[in-house]
Amino acid sequence: MSSLFKPTTEAEHQVPGHSASRTRGRLIPRKVKFDWAKTPLEWIPGRPFASHFINEINMILPAGEFWFCRLYNKALPLVKDEKLRDDMQMFIRQEAMHARAHGGAIAEYLQAHGIDTERNTRIMDWLFEELLADEPFGRKVPKLLERRWLVFRLGIIAAVEHMTCVLGNYALDNKKWDDAGADPVLLDLLRWHGAEEVEHRNVAFDLYANLGGSYLSRYYLASIAVPLVIGLWADGAAHLLNQDPRYAGEKFSVWKPKLWLRWAKESRSGHLPHPLQLAAWQLPFFSPWYDPEKEGSTERALAYLASSPAAAAAQASGQSALKLVK
């Protein structure tokens, strides 16, 4: 086949003799400790819609991030580049802490306020433990397709990690929350997590490229992942909103325009990204020249992480270092 028509892999754009990793320095896994005792359900005063919408993030993330960890452990033996391997190991430890922190918010914050979380977390468990499992719906993947199935899922992670990076930028930049008197604990959760997403923004793409992911597959994987994540977020948020007596008559649903129109309206206050803006932020990932390094500032992320109250609280309590998740 002529090279003109041969789909190139992302790895072909890497410089020979250089590491497959674009991450500067070494990633740092950080312990955090959050005290949810005083955090109100309406954590942005006067903004219940935005509060519920962002609270849904706590239910989307844990199952997915533990799934990231499992896949990265599975991919580690396939990676020979030592720097990228170290990036992956530190990524696993960071993602495991993210999952635990948001899982703690489910149990100690949302459930403590009487929120039904089981329906939303059950959907996420099904997605990652059934549909996207090593053996989807219990069916063994043929040996010849095992690597392709792994790289396919790593491509989904790369697309999602671009989303989490740009949302991390949003969390770090958004002073409207502070101006509204938002709860400092939940703000710290969002910004600590967002800053680490910015810090490790290169890893998922570097791994996908190193294992032979192509631009064409990246394009269609992002076309699947982006609407799926936005849809899951909206669906879960609708379930939270429908539990609030103030929205009892609304009957929000991801399938009804009412939810999306209300989301767009509420975004004008600056406490939520507009759904179209959120979609537009994903466009750079579709470019053949996409470079995750350009999508955020490591220095700004590290500056926040150095001042995170939750990280300081964990250090003060003498919590031990994170271990790799198997």
Side-chain angles (χ1 to χ4, degrees), residues 1 6 28 47 50 73 78 80 107 117 139 170 173 177 232 242 296 313:
M1 180 184 292
K6 180 183 176 182
I28 301 171
R47 297 290 175 180
N73 274 313
L78 304 177
K80 307 306 178 188
T117 62
R139 296 179 179 272
Y170 178 81
D173 289 339
W177 291 335
L232 285 169
N242 290 335

Side-chain angles (χ1 to χ4, degrees), residues 126-188:
W126 175 86
L127 178 64
F128 295 109
E129 295 177 12
E130 294 290 336
L131 180 63
L132 294 172
D134 291 340
E135 297 183 359
F137 303 110
R139 296 179 179 272
K140 190 170 180 62
V141 175
K143 192 74 174 176
L144 288 174
L145 297 179
E146 283 183 356
R147 180 174 173 127
R148 287 192 179 187
W149 178 231
L150 176 62
V151 174
F152 174 90
R153 292 177 293 164
L154 293 174
I156 290 176
I157 294 176
V160 172
E161 281 293 300
H162 172 74
M163 296 186 74
T164 57
C165 173
V166 295
L167 285 170
N169 288 329
Y170 178 81
L172 291 170
D173 289 339
N174 192 352
K175 302 307 178 188
K176 293 288 187 180
W177 291 335
D178 305 84
D179 295 343
D183 178 75
V185 177
L186 214 149
L187 267 186
D188 187 33

Side-chain angles (χ1 to χ4, degrees), residues 96-275:
M97 192 67 245
H98 299 168
R100 291 168 184 153
H102 288 284
I106 292 174
E108 300 167 29
Y109 168 49
L110 294 175
Q111 291 176 353
H113 281 283
I115 294 295
D116 169 32
T117 62
E118 196 273 336
R119 178 262 188 194
N120 290 7
T121 55
R122 186 176 67 247
I123 290 172
M124 302 311 297
D125 289 342
W126 175 86
L127 178 64
F128 295 109
E129 295 177 12
E130 294 290 336
L131 180 63
L132 294 172
D134 291 340
E135 297 183 359
F137 303 110
R139 296 179 179 272
K140 190 170 180 62
V141 175
K143 192 74 174 176
L144 288 174
L145 297 179
E146 283 183 356
R147 180 174 173 127
R148 287 192 179 187
W149 178 231
L150 176 62
V151 174
F152 174 90
R153 292 177 293 164
L154 293 174
I156 290 176
I157 294 176
V160 172
E161 281 293 300
H162 172 74
M163 296 186 74
T164 57
C165 173
V166 295
L167 285 170
N169 288 329
Y170 178 81
L172 291 170
D173 289 339
N174 192 352
K175 302 307 178 188
K176 293 288 187 180
W177 291 335
D178 305 84
D179 295 343
D183 178 75
V185 177
L186 214 149
L187 267 186
D188 187 33
L189 172 67
L190 296 174
R191 287 175 174 161
W192 156 76
H193 186 170
E196 288 201 339
E197 293 298 330
V198 173
E199 181 191 21
H200 70 220
R201 65 191 178 278
N202 290 299
V203 180
F205 188 78
D206 288 344
L207 174 60
Y208 173 71
N210 187 252
L211 293 185
S214 70
Y215 168 67
L216 289 178
S217 61
R218 168 158 61 93
Y219 192 94
Y220 75 72
L221 287 171
S223 299
I224 296 170
V226 170
L228 177 63
V229 171
I230 294 175
L232 285 169
W233 189 4
D235 176 70
H239 181 64
L240 292 187
L241 289 162
N242 290 335
Q243 295 181 59
D244 189 325
R246 288 170 290 187
Y247 299 109
E250 298 286 355
K251 296 183 179 179
F252 286 119
S253 168
V254 69
W255 305 110
K256 295 180 180 179
K258 180 191 300 185
L259 176 68
W260 299 91
L261 293 172
R262 185 63 177 269
W263 181 0
K265 180 181 178 181
E266 291 284 339
S267 71
R268 296 173 193 165
S269 69
H271 301 110
L272 274 176
H274 192 286

Side-chain angles (χ1 to χ4, degrees), residues 27-30 64-77 84-100 154 157 161 196-197 200 203-204 207 322-326:
L27 298 173
I28 301 171
R30 301 165 184 86
E65 289 177 313
F66 280 133
W67 177 73
F68 289 6
C69 295
R70 293 194 297 272
L71 284 191
Y72 272 49
N73 274 313
K74 196 174 186 68
L76 265 171
L84 182 55
R85 283 178 58 84
D86 186 69
D87 291 346
M88 292 170 64
Q89 290 171 323
M90 296 304 104
F91 176 97
I92 290 168
R93 293 168 71 175
Q94 287 190 344
E95 291 293 324
M97 192 67 245
H98 299 168
R100 291 168 184 153
L154 293 174
I157 294 176
E161 281 293 300
E196 288 201 339
E197 293 298 330
H200 70 220
V203 180
L207 174 60
L322 291 172
K323 297 180 180 179
L324 287 177
V325 174
K326 299 296 184 184

